[in-house]
Amino acid sequence: PIPGKGRRNTLIGGAAMFTGVDHHERFSVTTMMDGTGRIIDRQKIKNDAASLPAFAASPPENPGIALEATNGWHCFYELMEDHRDKIALARPLKTRTIEEARIKTDTTGATILATFPGQAPFPPLAYIAPRDARDTREFLRHRASLVSARTSLKNKAHAVLDKNGIDIEASDIFGKKVVQRLHGLPVRECYPIE
């Protein structure tokens, strides 16, 4: 990919072999096909710290990889990104319609993904931002979730005070001095203040 740009359609053309990956939480099923559609290899690999790097580092002839953008694709993709030139992230909604026409198993899912790059029309690819952009987005999402959790807890504290008829005269009831006062307030037993 171009530096600073995300990967998009980098797999179409140029890969003599392609590996389709049906990725799950604890394991992945892979099917490697050549350009004629002949199945070369099938594997079930554990998604752990030993198995995935070994799979990524030892591909015969560096085949491209087609992966469905399902939960947990990030870790798998980033391991492959360092070892493979051609990686596709297929949109799950588009691949699902094709899979529903057949009996769905992990093996057929991997085979369908391995077949896609050689056939038209290839399902639309999910855009993959560069790693630094992905890291920035993940940091911002994480921070937003923490801020949301903090706001939720503060709102619950206000609700407990309101339900007990307690009015505190302070601009910030979560300041150090006010928090010390909160511990001595008479609230109903169902709201223990620890």
Side-chain angles (χ1 to χ4, degrees):
I2 301 167
K5 299 281 186 179
R7 290 180 183 245
R8 190 172 189 93
N9 292 328
T10 57
L11 58 86
I12 306 301
M17 290 189 288
F18 237 86
T19 301
V21 179
D22 193 2
H23 182 71
H24 297 278
E25 183 178 349
R26 292 191 170 88
F27 66 91
S28 294
V29 176
T30 67
T31 299
M32 185 187 305
M33 288 182 147
D34 64 11
T36 65
R38 185 173 56 95
I39 295 174
I40 296 168
D41 184 37
R42 278 201 170 118
Q43 294 182 50
K44 182 174 181 177
I45 55 174
K46 288 184 178 179
N47 293 338
D48 61 23
S51 303
L52 285 180
F55 172 75
S58 61
E61 301 177 30
N62 193 18
I65 286 191
L67 173 69
E68 194 173 5
T70 57
N71 189 29
W73 69 266
H74 301 87
C75 179
F76 191 94
Y77 177 86
E78 289 179 359
L79 276 169
M80 297 302 128
E81 184 178 39
D82 295 333
H83 297 280
R84 308 291 177 103
D85 296 330
K86 301 183 183 309
I87 306 173
L89 195 62
R91 290 187 183 170
L93 186 60
K94 301 296 181 180
T95 56
R96 187 167 294 123
T97 57
I98 296 167
E99 289 174 354
E100 285 174 354
R102 302 181 185 184
I103 297 172
K104 172 66 173 111
T105 65
D106 298 332
T107 306
T108 58
T111 304
I112 288 167
L113 286 166
T115 306
F116 280 158
Q119 294 182 349
F122 189 84
L125 299 177
Y127 172 74
I128 305 166
R131 188 176 289 205
D132 59 342
R134 292 194 309 264
D135 288 346
T136 301
R137 290 175 184 176
E138 194 60 33
F139 170 77
L140 293 173
R141 281 188 203 104
H142 182 66
R143 186 177 191 291
S145 71
L146 293 176
V147 168
S148 176
R150 179 186 65 190
T151 301
S152 176
L153 291 172
K154 285 184 174 185
N155 288 342
K156 287 179 183 182
H158 280 287
V160 168
L161 293 174
D162 290 343
K163 288 177 182 179
N164 285 277
I166 298 170
D167 184 28
I168 295 183
E169 297 291 328
S171 59
D172 179 17
I173 70 162
F174 301 101
K176 224 176 198 179
K177 290 181 181 178
V178 179
V179 167
Q180 290 173 351
R181 282 185 21 218
L182 288 176
H183 288 288
L185 293 176
V187 294
R188 291 174 22 209
E189 290 180 12
C190 60
Y191 300 113
I193 297 178
E194 306 262 339

